[in-house]
Amino acid sequence: MKKIDGRLVADHLQEELKTKVEALQAVGKNPTLAVVLVGEDPASKVYVGGKERTAKKLGMGSLRYDLPATSTQEEILEMVEKLNQDPEVHGILVQLPLPKGLDEKEVLEAIDKEKDVDCFHPYNLGKLFQGDESGFLPCTPHGVIKLLEYYDIEIEGKDVVIVGRSNIVGKPMFSLMLNRSATVTVVHSRTKDLAEKTKKADILVAAVGIAGFITKDMVKPGAVIVDVGINSIDGKLYGDVDKEVEEVASYMTPVPGGVGPMTITMLMDNTIKACK
Ligand code: NAP
């Protein structure tokens, strides 16, 4: 089994991004990401910190707005509008989940589609669904595509099975794979005979949120395994794919160090695109 090293690929892509940032700065533009964090969720704070650090590492502008958990819907919408109007801000990310009682959909749809670097706006998702990838692409599934490309893993004509149908991973992953002419099956919690379907996959993408969900008997020998899952148990991170799958896979992403580093990298890529 060959490891798909997300850290290595992310570092490589980030070097290219740094050059793009320098080129923009040379013509007086500074790609800037604004992150809005509402409340005190510890996991969200960690994610936001990672995004800030990567933006700074690439020499980009990074702004952070911490709003109290008691913020009203109107206050958050006002903040988004202020950032929409700010010509120095190129990308806006509102960290999810928002505290209970707030309408996430309304907030995400309020973000200017030209600054929607996290790609949650129906306009950008709609374009992707129509096979037009000229807009922003959702960071995690786009990162998966970049990993496969880096390792010269062909997608066209392959049987791809995606486990999970969330708006953030499963559904856009489906579109990206279909746009590359894979034959795509999406399975979820109501799927009958799930293992029968995963066993047919040349490329299996797991985005379930259950540690070790995909076991060896659910995988075709020689399959490429992409593990999107991040599950924290007693302070340690586990993917959705059991370690024993390494015995049968041809390629596999580790957790951590697989898809995770790519997600942040693609967010920076979108912000640079927005600035351009
Ligand atoms: P989600 O919104 O909770 O979706 C999980 C999906 O898995 C749902 O479609 C659900 O089916 C399906 N599922 C749950 N239990 C199942 C079961 N027993 N059998 C079959 N399908 C089942 O999760 P998500 O946001 O897509 O995230 C998935 C995982 O990826 C999480 O571990 C998350 O932390 C991780 N993640 C990682 C990154 C990264 O950067 N690496 C980014 C995003 C997410 P139903 O729709 O039928 O309920």
Side-chain angles (χ1 to χ4, degrees):
M1 189 278 306
K2 194 166 176 193
K3 176 171 102 166
I4 297 180
D5 187 342
R7 189 67 267 161
L8 175 107
V9 182
D11 285 348
H12 177 81
L13 290 177
Q14 286 183 16
E15 280 308 310
E16 289 178 8
L17 294 182
K18 247 191 222 168
T19 311
K20 287 186 185 173
V21 171
E22 283 160 12
L24 283 165
Q25 286 167 345
V27 294
K29 292 179 173 175
N30 188 28
T32 298
L33 174 68
V35 178
V36 179
L37 175 64
V38 186
E40 300 288 332
D41 180 59
S44 293
K45 279 189 173 175
V46 173
Y47 293 141
V48 165
K51 288 163 190 170
E52 272 187 301
R53 268 196 308 282
T54 308
K56 285 185 181 142
K57 185 174 143 200
L58 299 184
M60 296 165 53
S62 167
L63 301 169
R64 173 165 166 177
Y65 298 90
D66 284 18
L67 301 180
T70 51
S71 301
T72 62
Q73 184 78 9
E74 288 65 36
E75 283 166 339
I76 299 167
L77 290 173
E78 258 171 47
M79 169 59 75
V80 168
E81 191 46 31
K82 193 178 112 190
L83 298 172
N84 281 343
Q85 298 301 331
D86 187 341
E88 303 298 319
V89 169
H90 305 101
I92 304 171
L93 182 148
V94 178
Q95 184 66 44
L96 300 181
L98 291 175
K100 281 205 176 67
L102 295 167
D103 181 349
E104 284 183 353
K105 192 167 168 281
E106 189 185 23
V107 171
L108 296 175
E109 288 182 14
I111 295 174
D112 183 341
K113 60 185 178 4
E114 307 289 339
K115 298 188 178 188
D116 173 41
V117 290
D118 218 11
C119 196
F120 276 116
H121 197 289
Y123 173 83
N124 285 312
L125 285 174
K127 275 179 74 157
L128 170 63
F129 189 68
Q130 291 175 335
D132 176 354
E133 298 190 5
S134 64
F136 298 119
L137 298 178
C139 303
T140 301
H142 189 202
V144 170
I145 296 292
K146 288 281 181 191
L147 282 177
L148 298 177
E149 281 174 356
Y150 190 91
Y151 284 87
D152 283 328
I153 295 167
E154 211 176 297
I155 297 174
E156 186 177 327
K158 291 287 151 60
D159 287 323
V160 173
V161 178
I162 301 164
V163 191
R165 55 172 165 176
S166 68
N167 288 337
I168 178 171
V169 188
K171 283 183 200 148
M173 191 78 257
F174 165 80
S175 289
L176 286 165
M177 290 294 189
L178 189 64
N179 291 349
R180 283 158 183 75
S181 299
T183 303
V184 196
T185 305
V186 181
V187 297
H188 46 79
S189 69
R190 314 288 165 86
T191 299
K192 277 187 285 162
D193 305 326
L194 187 137
E196 290 309 310
K197 291 168 176 90
T198 56
K199 258 193 274 186
K200 298 222 161 72
D202 299 313
I203 302 174
L204 180 62
V205 181
V208 195
I210 302 174
F213 181 83
I214 302 289
T215 47
K216 199 167 83 173
D217 55 315
M218 296 165 76
V219 172
K220 176 165 85 175
V224 174
I225 310 294
V226 178
D227 190 351
V228 178
I230 301 179
N231 309 289
S232 174
I233 302 171
D234 297 332
K236 211 172 162 238
L237 296 184
Y238 297 87
D240 288 344
V241 179
D242 198 286
K243 211 176 151 34
E244 65 177 19
V245 173
E246 284 179 10
E247 295 164 24
V248 288
S250 58
Y251 286 87
M252 188 161 147
T253 61
V255 177
V259 177
M262 295 301 290
T263 297
I264 293 193
T265 306
M266 300 330 292
L267 175 69
M268 301 306 148
D269 186 50
N270 277 347
T271 307
I272 293 164
K273 197 171 174 183
C275 176
K276 273 189 180 166

mmCIF file of all heavy atoms in Angstrom, residues 47 139-141 144 163-171 186-191 194 206-211 213 227-232 238-240 255 258-264, ligand 1:
data_model
loop_
_atom_site.group_PDB
_atom_site.id
_atom_site.type_symbol
_atom_site.label_atom_id
_atom_site.label_comp_id
_atom_site.label_asym_id
_atom_site.label_seq_id
_atom_site.Cartn_x
_atom_site.Cartn_y
_atom_site.Cartn_z
ATOM 1 N N TYR A 47 -9.871 25.113 14.535
ATOM 2 C CA TYR A 47 -9.924 25.197 13.063
ATOM 3 C C TYR A 47 -9.593 26.605 12.595
ATOM 4 O O TYR A 47 -8.824 26.805 11.657
ATOM 5 C CB TYR A 47 -11.317 24.799 12.548
ATOM 6 C CG TYR A 47 -11.662 23.344 12.768
ATOM 7 C CD1 TYR A 47 -12.945 22.955 13.149
ATOM 8 C CD2 TYR A 47 -10.711 22.337 12.565
ATOM 9 C CE1 TYR A 47 -13.268 21.618 13.347
ATOM 10 C CE2 TYR A 47 -11.028 21.003 12.762
ATOM 11 C CZ TYR A 47 -12.314 20.642 13.155
ATOM 12 O OH TYR A 47 -12.616 19.329 13.339
ATOM 13 N N CYS A 139 -13.724 23.204 -0.513
ATOM 14 C CA CYS A 139 -12.306 22.957 -0.185
ATOM 15 C C CYS A 139 -11.960 21.481 0.033
ATOM 16 O O CYS A 139 -10.955 21.006 -0.518
ATOM 17 C CB CYS A 139 -11.923 23.770 1.046
ATOM 18 S SG CYS A 139 -12.222 25.525 0.812
ATOM 19 N N THR A 140 -12.741 20.768 0.830
ATOM 20 C CA THR A 140 -12.356 19.381 1.149
ATOM 21 C C THR A 140 -12.426 18.477 -0.086
ATOM 22 O O THR A 140 -11.427 17.834 -0.435
ATOM 23 C CB THR A 140 -13.203 18.836 2.310
ATOM 24 O OG1 THR A 140 -12.993 19.679 3.438
ATOM 25 C CG2 THR A 140 -12.828 17.414 2.660
ATOM 26 N N PRO A 141 -13.567 18.438 -0.795
ATOM 27 C CA PRO A 141 -13.585 17.566 -1.981
ATOM 28 C C PRO A 141 -12.611 18.009 -3.071
ATOM 29 O O PRO A 141 -12.016 17.168 -3.741
ATOM 30 C CB PRO A 141 -15.034 17.630 -2.473
ATOM 31 C CG PRO A 141 -15.744 18.613 -1.645
ATOM 32 C CD PRO A 141 -14.894 18.991 -0.480
ATOM 33 N N VAL A 144 -9.367 16.559 -2.230
ATOM 34 C CA VAL A 144 -9.298 15.119 -2.565
ATOM 35 C C VAL A 144 -8.890 14.955 -4.031
ATOM 36 O O VAL A 144 -8.010 14.147 -4.370
ATOM 37 C CB VAL A 144 -10.665 14.432 -2.294
ATOM 38 C CG1 VAL A 144 -10.682 13.012 -2.862
ATOM 39 C CG2 VAL A 144 -10.981 14.421 -0.795
ATOM 40 N N VAL A 163 -19.040 7.454 0.581
ATOM 41 C CA VAL A 163 -19.864 7.112 1.744
ATOM 42 C C VAL A 163 -20.147 8.408 2.493
ATOM 43 O O VAL A 163 -19.237 9.009 3.069
ATOM 44 C CB VAL A 163 -19.166 6.088 2.661
ATOM 45 C CG1 VAL A 163 -20.156 5.541 3.700
ATOM 46 C CG2 VAL A 163 -18.578 4.941 1.861
ATOM 47 N N GLY A 164 -21.398 8.854 2.460
ATOM 48 C CA GLY A 164 -21.781 10.139 3.068
ATOM 49 C C GLY A 164 -22.317 11.080 2.007
ATOM 50 O O GLY A 164 -21.806 11.116 0.880
ATOM 51 N N ARG A 165 -23.364 11.824 2.354
ATOM 52 C CA ARG A 165 -24.012 12.706 1.365
ATOM 53 C C ARG A 165 -24.199 14.124 1.929
ATOM 54 O O ARG A 165 -25.222 14.769 1.684
ATOM 55 C CB ARG A 165 -25.361 12.120 0.947
ATOM 56 C CG ARG A 165 -26.268 11.851 2.120
ATOM 57 C CD ARG A 165 -27.669 11.467 1.707
ATOM 58 N NE ARG A 165 -28.403 10.888 2.819
ATOM 59 C CZ ARG A 165 -29.669 10.531 2.762
ATOM 60 N NH1 ARG A 165 -30.356 10.692 1.659
ATOM 61 N NH2 ARG A 165 -30.269 10.023 3.828
ATOM 62 N N SER A 166 -23.246 14.594 2.730
ATOM 63 C CA SER A 166 -23.386 15.936 3.300
ATOM 64 C C SER A 166 -23.160 17.000 2.224
ATOM 65 O O SER A 166 -22.565 16.740 1.181
ATOM 66 C CB SER A 166 -22.363 16.139 4.425
ATOM 67 O OG SER A 166 -21.055 16.172 3.890
ATOM 68 N N ASN A 167 -23.643 18.212 2.513
ATOM 69 C CA ASN A 167 -23.443 19.328 1.576
ATOM 70 C C ASN A 167 -21.979 19.732 1.505
ATOM 71 O O ASN A 167 -21.530 20.286 0.516
ATOM 72 C CB ASN A 167 -24.265 20.544 2.014
ATOM 73 C CG ASN A 167 -25.738 20.308 1.785
ATOM 74 O OD1 ASN A 167 -26.130 19.487 0.952
ATOM 75 N ND2 ASN A 167 -26.569 21.018 2.530
ATOM 76 N N ILE A 168 -21.239 19.460 2.580
ATOM 77 C CA ILE A 168 -19.841 19.920 2.647
ATOM 78 C C ILE A 168 -18.879 18.933 1.976
ATOM 79 O O ILE A 168 -17.884 19.332 1.401
ATOM 80 C CB ILE A 168 -19.448 20.251 4.120
ATOM 81 C CG1 ILE A 168 -18.002 20.692 4.248
ATOM 82 C CG2 ILE A 168 -19.694 19.147 5.064
ATOM 83 C CD1 ILE A 168 -17.655 21.225 5.618
ATOM 84 N N VAL A 169 -19.194 17.639 2.046
ATOM 85 C CA VAL A 169 -18.267 16.660 1.453
ATOM 86 C C VAL A 169 -18.947 15.805 0.368
ATOM 87 O O VAL A 169 -18.608 15.897 -0.814
ATOM 88 C CB VAL A 169 -17.629 15.723 2.509
ATOM 89 C CG1 VAL A 169 -16.530 14.879 1.864
ATOM 90 C CG2 VAL A 169 -17.065 16.463 3.709
ATOM 91 N N GLY A 170 -19.891 14.961 0.773
ATOM 92 C CA GLY A 170 -20.429 13.922 -0.123
ATOM 93 C C GLY A 170 -20.995 14.466 -1.428
ATOM 94 O O GLY A 170 -20.617 14.001 -2.511
ATOM 95 N N LYS A 171 -21.894 15.462 -1.341
ATOM 96 C CA LYS A 171 -22.562 15.933 -2.570
ATOM 97 C C LYS A 171 -21.591 16.636 -3.523
ATOM 98 O O LYS A 171 -21.566 16.312 -4.712
ATOM 99 C CB LYS A 171 -23.741 16.842 -2.216
ATOM 100 C CG LYS A 171 -24.953 16.047 -1.751
ATOM 101 C CD LYS A 171 -26.105 16.991 -1.477
ATOM 102 C CE LYS A 171 -27.126 16.334 -0.570
ATOM 103 N NZ LYS A 171 -27.791 17.312 0.281
ATOM 104 N N VAL A 186 -23.277 7.155 -4.481
ATOM 105 C CA VAL A 186 -23.223 7.784 -3.157
ATOM 106 C C VAL A 186 -24.058 6.939 -2.205
ATOM 107 O O VAL A 186 -25.234 6.688 -2.473
ATOM 108 C CB VAL A 186 -23.763 9.233 -3.201
ATOM 109 C CG1 VAL A 186 -23.683 9.874 -1.819
ATOM 110 C CG2 VAL A 186 -22.996 10.065 -4.216
ATOM 111 N N VAL A 187 -23.454 6.483 -1.121
ATOM 112 C CA VAL A 187 -24.196 5.670 -0.146
ATOM 113 C C VAL A 187 -24.278 6.436 1.173
ATOM 114 O O VAL A 187 -23.492 7.342 1.432
ATOM 115 C CB VAL A 187 -23.543 4.281 0.049
ATOM 116 C CG1 VAL A 187 -23.572 3.488 -1.242
ATOM 117 C CG2 VAL A 187 -22.116 4.390 0.575
ATOM 118 N N HIS A 188 -25.269 6.073 1.982
ATOM 119 C CA HIS A 188 -25.551 6.834 3.216
ATOM 120 C C HIS A 188 -26.256 5.925 4.221
ATOM 121 O O HIS A 188 -26.312 4.704 4.010
ATOM 122 C CB HIS A 188 -26.386 8.076 2.867
ATOM 123 C CG HIS A 188 -27.526 7.772 1.952
ATOM 124 N ND1 HIS A 188 -28.695 7.203 2.396
ATOM 125 C CD2 HIS A 188 -27.638 7.894 0.595
ATOM 126 C CE1 HIS A 188 -29.498 7.002 1.365
ATOM 127 N NE2 HIS A 188 -28.884 7.412 0.268
ATOM 128 N N SER A 189 -26.824 6.525 5.245
ATOM 129 C CA SER A 189 -27.341 5.704 6.355
ATOM 130 C C SER A 189 -28.572 4.865 5.972
ATOM 131 O O SER A 189 -28.911 3.927 6.677
ATOM 132 C CB SER A 189 -27.669 6.589 7.561
ATOM 133 O OG SER A 189 -28.785 7.392 7.279
ATOM 134 N N ARG A 190 -29.221 5.191 4.885
ATOM 135 C CA ARG A 190 -30.402 4.400 4.478
ATOM 136 C C ARG A 190 -30.090 3.419 3.349
ATOM 137 O O ARG A 190 -30.998 2.803 2.801
ATOM 138 C CB ARG A 190 -31.542 5.325 4.004
ATOM 139 C CG ARG A 190 -31.818 6.523 4.894
ATOM 140 C CD ARG A 190 -32.484 6.097 6.207
ATOM 141 N NE ARG A 190 -32.389 7.220 7.145
ATOM 142 C CZ ARG A 190 -33.269 8.215 7.198
ATOM 143 N NH1 ARG A 190 -34.298 8.225 6.416
ATOM 144 N NH2 ARG A 190 -33.097 9.199 8.061
ATOM 145 N N THR A 191 -28.830 3.311 2.982
ATOM 146 C CA THR A 191 -28.441 2.439 1.868
ATOM 147 C C THR A 191 -28.565 0.969 2.279
ATOM 148 O O THR A 191 -28.111 0.589 3.364
ATOM 149 C CB THR A 191 -26.989 2.752 1.440
ATOM 150 O OG1 THR A 191 -26.946 4.101 1.004
ATOM 151 C CG2 THR A 191 -26.515 1.840 0.344
ATOM 152 N N LEU A 194 -24.817 -1.917 2.020
ATOM 153 C CA LEU A 194 -23.774 -0.904 1.792
ATOM 154 C C LEU A 194 -22.427 -1.530 1.403
ATOM 155 O O LEU A 194 -21.757 -1.085 0.472
ATOM 156 C CB LEU A 194 -23.638 -0.037 3.055
ATOM 157 C CG LEU A 194 -22.727 1.170 2.944
ATOM 158 C CD1 LEU A 194 -23.380 2.385 3.612
ATOM 159 C CD2 LEU A 194 -21.385 0.921 3.580
ATOM 160 N N ALA A 206 -14.479 7.947 2.022
ATOM 161 C CA ALA A 206 -15.272 7.775 3.248
ATOM 162 C C ALA A 206 -15.430 9.120 3.945
ATOM 163 O O ALA A 206 -14.446 9.763 4.313
ATOM 164 C CB ALA A 206 -14.571 6.782 4.175
ATOM 165 N N ALA A 207 -16.677 9.567 4.093
ATOM 166 C CA ALA A 207 -16.974 10.817 4.813
ATOM 167 C C ALA A 207 -18.211 10.587 5.656
ATOM 168 O O ALA A 207 -19.301 11.064 5.371
ATOM 169 C CB ALA A 207 -17.181 11.963 3.827
ATOM 170 N N VAL A 208 -18.022 9.775 6.685
ATOM 171 C CA VAL A 208 -19.133 9.288 7.505
ATOM 172 C C VAL A 208 -19.150 9.950 8.884
ATOM 173 O O VAL A 208 -20.208 10.302 9.414
ATOM 174 C CB VAL A 208 -19.026 7.749 7.724
ATOM 175 C CG1 VAL A 208 -20.325 7.177 8.255
ATOM 176 C CG2 VAL A 208 -18.597 7.036 6.471
ATOM 177 N N GLY A 209 -17.952 10.087 9.475
ATOM 178 C CA GLY A 209 -17.894 10.621 10.837
ATOM 179 C C GLY A 209 -18.000 9.538 11.896
ATOM 180 O O GLY A 209 -18.387 9.795 13.029
ATOM 181 N N ILE A 210 -17.642 8.278 11.513
ATOM 182 C CA ILE A 210 -17.616 7.178 12.493
ATOM 183 C C ILE A 210 -16.237 6.503 12.390
ATOM 184 O O ILE A 210 -15.887 5.974 11.312
ATOM 185 C CB ILE A 210 -18.736 6.134 12.225
ATOM 186 C CG1 ILE A 210 -20.115 6.800 12.257
ATOM 187 C CG2 ILE A 210 -18.644 4.973 13.211
ATOM 188 C CD1 ILE A 210 -21.271 5.875 11.861
ATOM 189 N N ALA A 211 -15.498 6.535 13.473
ATOM 190 C CA ALA A 211 -14.134 5.979 13.451
ATOM 191 C C ALA A 211 -14.151 4.511 13.037
ATOM 192 O O ALA A 211 -14.962 3.722 13.541
ATOM 193 C CB ALA A 211 -13.487 6.131 14.827
ATOM 194 N N PHE A 213 -15.195 2.965 10.437
ATOM 195 C CA PHE A 213 -16.452 2.464 9.836
ATOM 196 C C PHE A 213 -16.175 1.512 8.663
ATOM 197 O O PHE A 213 -16.831 0.492 8.508
ATOM 198 C CB PHE A 213 -17.305 3.652 9.363
ATOM 199 C CG PHE A 213 -18.605 3.272 8.759
ATOM 200 C CD1 PHE A 213 -19.716 3.015 9.556
ATOM 201 C CD2 PHE A 213 -18.753 3.168 7.381
ATOM 202 C CE1 PHE A 213 -20.927 2.651 8.990
ATOM 203 C CE2 PHE A 213 -19.963 2.810 6.815
ATOM 204 C CZ PHE A 213 -21.052 2.558 7.624
ATOM 205 N N ASP A 227 -9.745 8.770 2.967
ATOM 206 C CA ASP A 227 -10.419 8.836 4.270
ATOM 207 C C ASP A 227 -10.583 10.304 4.677
ATOM 208 O O ASP A 227 -9.612 10.961 5.079
ATOM 209 C CB ASP A 227 -9.554 8.083 5.298
ATOM 210 C CG ASP A 227 -10.273 7.872 6.622
ATOM 211 O OD1 ASP A 227 -11.369 8.444 6.809
ATOM 212 O OD2 ASP A 227 -9.718 7.126 7.466
ATOM 213 N N VAL A 228 -11.806 10.810 4.566
ATOM 214 C CA VAL A 228 -12.063 12.219 4.901
ATOM 215 C C VAL A 228 -12.338 12.376 6.408
ATOM 216 O O VAL A 228 -12.159 13.437 6.979
ATOM 217 C CB VAL A 228 -13.250 12.765 4.068
ATOM 218 C CG1 VAL A 228 -13.565 14.209 4.420
ATOM 219 C CG2 VAL A 228 -12.947 12.654 2.573
ATOM 220 N N GLY A 229 -12.737 11.303 7.038
ATOM 221 C CA GLY A 229 -13.178 11.357 8.440
ATOM 222 C C GLY A 229 -12.138 11.901 9.410
ATOM 223 O O GLY A 229 -10.943 11.641 9.271
ATOM 224 N N ILE A 230 -12.624 12.707 10.360
ATOM 225 C CA ILE A 230 -11.763 13.145 11.474
ATOM 226 C C ILE A 230 -12.584 12.908 12.735
ATOM 227 O O ILE A 230 -13.573 13.600 12.978
ATOM 228 C CB ILE A 230 -11.397 14.644 11.380
ATOM 229 C CG1 ILE A 230 -10.654 14.940 10.070
ATOM 230 C CG2 ILE A 230 -10.537 15.062 12.570
ATOM 231 C CD1 ILE A 230 -10.278 16.400 9.880
ATOM 232 N N ASN A 231 -12.198 11.910 13.489
ATOM 233 C CA ASN A 231 -12.947 11.566 14.701
ATOM 234 C C ASN A 231 -11.986 11.601 15.876
ATOM 235 O O ASN A 231 -10.955 10.937 15.853
ATOM 236 C CB ASN A 231 -13.553 10.167 14.550
ATOM 237 C CG ASN A 231 -14.323 10.017 13.244
ATOM 238 O OD1 ASN A 231 -15.391 10.587 13.088
ATOM 239 N ND2 ASN A 231 -13.768 9.276 12.294
ATOM 240 N N SER A 232 -12.338 12.393 16.886
ATOM 241 C CA SER A 232 -11.451 12.543 18.033
ATOM 242 C C SER A 232 -11.931 11.630 19.171
ATOM 243 O O SER A 232 -13.071 11.726 19.617
ATOM 244 C CB SER A 232 -11.459 14.017 18.461
ATOM 245 O OG SER A 232 -10.720 14.154 19.631
ATOM 246 N N TYR A 238 -8.836 9.768 14.661
ATOM 247 C CA TYR A 238 -9.016 8.550 13.872
ATOM 248 C C TYR A 238 -9.827 8.889 12.625
ATOM 249 O O TYR A 238 -10.702 9.762 12.660
ATOM 250 C CB TYR A 238 -9.781 7.484 14.666
ATOM 251 C CG TYR A 238 -9.049 7.021 15.902
ATOM 252 C CD1 TYR A 238 -9.202 7.701 17.103
ATOM 253 C CD2 TYR A 238 -8.201 5.915 15.850
ATOM 254 C CE1 TYR A 238 -8.521 7.287 18.243
ATOM 255 C CE2 TYR A 238 -7.517 5.495 16.986
ATOM 256 C CZ TYR A 238 -7.682 6.176 18.180
ATOM 257 O OH TYR A 238 -7.016 5.777 19.302
ATOM 258 N N GLY A 239 -9.557 8.169 11.543
ATOM 259 C CA GLY A 239 -10.345 8.343 10.335
ATOM 260 C C GLY A 239 -11.591 7.462 10.349
ATOM 261 O O GLY A 239 -11.869 6.778 11.335
ATOM 262 N N ASP A 240 -12.301 7.469 9.222
ATOM 263 C CA ASP A 240 -13.478 6.608 9.075
ATOM 264 C C ASP A 240 -13.089 5.219 8.575
ATOM 265 O O ASP A 240 -13.945 4.342 8.447
ATOM 266 C CB ASP A 240 -14.446 7.227 8.048
ATOM 267 C CG ASP A 240 -15.141 8.459 8.578
ATOM 268 O OD1 ASP A 240 -15.132 8.674 9.802
ATOM 269 O OD2 ASP A 240 -15.719 9.207 7.763
ATOM 270 N N VAL A 255 -4.886 9.402 8.516
ATOM 271 C CA VAL A 255 -5.538 10.425 9.366
ATOM 272 C C VAL A 255 -4.776 10.444 10.686
ATOM 273 O O VAL A 255 -4.671 9.404 11.342
ATOM 274 C CB VAL A 255 -7.015 10.084 9.623
ATOM 275 C CG1 VAL A 255 -7.635 11.124 10.578
ATOM 276 C CG2 VAL A 255 -7.799 10.045 8.324
ATOM 277 N N GLY A 258 -3.710 13.404 5.892
ATOM 278 C CA GLY A 258 -4.213 13.045 4.560
ATOM 279 C C GLY A 258 -4.994 14.204 3.951
ATOM 280 O O GLY A 258 -4.404 15.160 3.447
ATOM 281 N N VAL A 259 -6.310 14.111 4.065
ATOM 282 C CA VAL A 259 -7.184 15.125 3.457
ATOM 283 C C VAL A 259 -7.135 16.455 4.237
ATOM 284 O O VAL A 259 -7.238 17.529 3.643
ATOM 285 C CB VAL A 259 -8.638 14.587 3.377
ATOM 286 C CG1 VAL A 259 -9.587 15.633 2.812
ATOM 287 C CG2 VAL A 259 -8.683 13.320 2.526
ATOM 288 N N GLY A 260 -6.972 16.380 5.548
ATOM 289 C CA GLY A 260 -7.025 17.572 6.401
ATOM 290 C C GLY A 260 -6.167 18.742 5.909
ATOM 291 O O GLY A 260 -6.690 19.843 5.692
ATOM 292 N N PRO A 261 -4.844 18.537 5.712
ATOM 293 C CA PRO A 261 -3.994 19.659 5.272
ATOM 294 C C PRO A 261 -4.431 20.235 3.925
ATOM 295 O O PRO A 261 -4.171 21.397 3.624
ATOM 296 C CB PRO A 261 -2.602 19.033 5.157
ATOM 297 C CG PRO A 261 -2.660 17.749 5.904
ATOM 298 C CD PRO A 261 -4.073 17.296 5.931
ATOM 299 N N MET A 262 -5.085 19.411 3.101
ATOM 300 C CA MET A 262 -5.508 19.878 1.775
ATOM 301 C C MET A 262 -6.683 20.850 1.882
ATOM 302 O O MET A 262 -6.803 21.775 1.082
ATOM 303 C CB MET A 262 -5.922 18.672 0.917
ATOM 304 C CG MET A 262 -4.804 17.739 0.606
ATOM 305 S SD MET A 262 -3.466 18.547 -0.287
ATOM 306 C CE MET A 262 -4.243 18.838 -1.871
ATOM 307 N N THR A 263 -7.548 20.640 2.870
ATOM 308 C CA THR A 263 -8.740 21.487 3.008
ATOM 309 C C THR A 263 -8.324 22.944 3.205
ATOM 310 O O THR A 263 -8.811 23.842 2.518
ATOM 311 C CB THR A 263 -9.595 20.988 4.192
ATOM 312 O OG1 THR A 263 -10.032 19.665 3.878
ATOM 313 C CG2 THR A 263 -10.811 21.862 4.427
ATOM 314 N N ILE A 264 -7.403 23.181 4.134
ATOM 315 C CA ILE A 264 -6.953 24.555 4.416
ATOM 316 C C ILE A 264 -6.242 25.127 3.190
ATOM 317 O O ILE A 264 -6.412 26.289 2.834
ATOM 318 C CB ILE A 264 -6.029 24.581 5.665
ATOM 319 C CG1 ILE A 264 -6.841 24.218 6.906
ATOM 320 C CG2 ILE A 264 -5.349 25.931 5.819
ATOM 321 C CD1 ILE A 264 -6.142 24.513 8.224
HETATM 322 P P1 NAP B 1 -22.126 14.636 8.242
HETATM 323 O O1 NAP B 1 -22.723 15.893 7.752
HETATM 324 O O2 NAP B 1 -22.421 14.152 9.612
HETATM 325 O O3 NAP B 1 -22.510 13.484 7.201
HETATM 326 C C1 NAP B 1 -22.204 12.141 7.447
HETATM 327 C C2 NAP B 1 -22.756 11.284 6.344
HETATM 328 O O4 NAP B 1 -22.485 9.938 6.692
HETATM 329 C C3 NAP B 1 -24.266 11.403 6.174
HETATM 330 O O5 NAP B 1 -24.595 11.479 4.806
HETATM 331 C C4 NAP B 1 -24.809 10.139 6.803
HETATM 332 O O6 NAP B 1 -25.963 9.599 6.179
HETATM 333 C C5 NAP B 1 -23.664 9.171 6.590
HETATM 334 N N1 NAP B 1 -23.711 8.144 7.614
HETATM 335 C C6 NAP B 1 -23.746 8.296 8.967
HETATM 336 N N2 NAP B 1 -23.834 7.111 9.582
HETATM 337 C C7 NAP B 1 -23.844 6.178 8.596
HETATM 338 C C8 NAP B 1 -23.955 4.767 8.587
HETATM 339 N N3 NAP B 1 -24.044 4.067 9.720
HETATM 340 N N4 NAP B 1 -23.972 4.147 7.399
HETATM 341 C C9 NAP B 1 -23.871 4.845 6.242
HETATM 342 N N5 NAP B 1 -23.780 6.174 6.185
HETATM 343 C C10 NAP B 1 -23.780 6.824 7.344
HETATM 344 O O7 NAP B 1 -20.543 14.681 8.143
HETATM 345 P P2 NAP B 1 -19.538 15.507 7.169
HETATM 346 O O8 NAP B 1 -19.568 16.923 7.534
HETATM 347 O O9 NAP B 1 -19.735 15.092 5.759
HETATM 348 O O10 NAP B 1 -18.151 14.907 7.690
HETATM 349 C C11 NAP B 1 -17.847 13.537 7.613
HETATM 350 C C12 NAP B 1 -16.522 13.283 8.290
HETATM 351 O O11 NAP B 1 -15.527 14.023 7.602
HETATM 352 C C13 NAP B 1 -16.446 13.772 9.750
HETATM 353 O O12 NAP B 1 -15.592 12.909 10.462
HETATM 354 C C14 NAP B 1 -15.811 15.151 9.621
HETATM 355 O O13 NAP B 1 -15.111 15.521 10.803
HETATM 356 C C15 NAP B 1 -14.859 14.913 8.500
HETATM 357 N N6 NAP B 1 -14.491 16.114 7.745
HETATM 358 C C16 NAP B 1 -13.182 16.273 7.490
HETATM 359 C C17 NAP B 1 -12.748 17.350 6.763
HETATM 360 C C18 NAP B 1 -11.297 17.478 6.452
HETATM 361 O O14 NAP B 1 -10.815 18.570 6.201
HETATM 362 N N7 NAP B 1 -10.557 16.373 6.458
HETATM 363 C C19 NAP B 1 -13.660 18.297 6.301
HETATM 364 C C20 NAP B 1 -15.016 18.088 6.540
HETATM 365 C C21 NAP B 1 -15.423 16.981 7.264
HETATM 366 P P3 NAP B 1 -27.415 10.336 6.213
HETATM 367 O O15 NAP B 1 -27.289 11.508 5.273
HETATM 368 O O16 NAP B 1 -28.332 9.311 5.716
HETATM 369 O O17 NAP B 1 -27.634 10.749 7.634
#
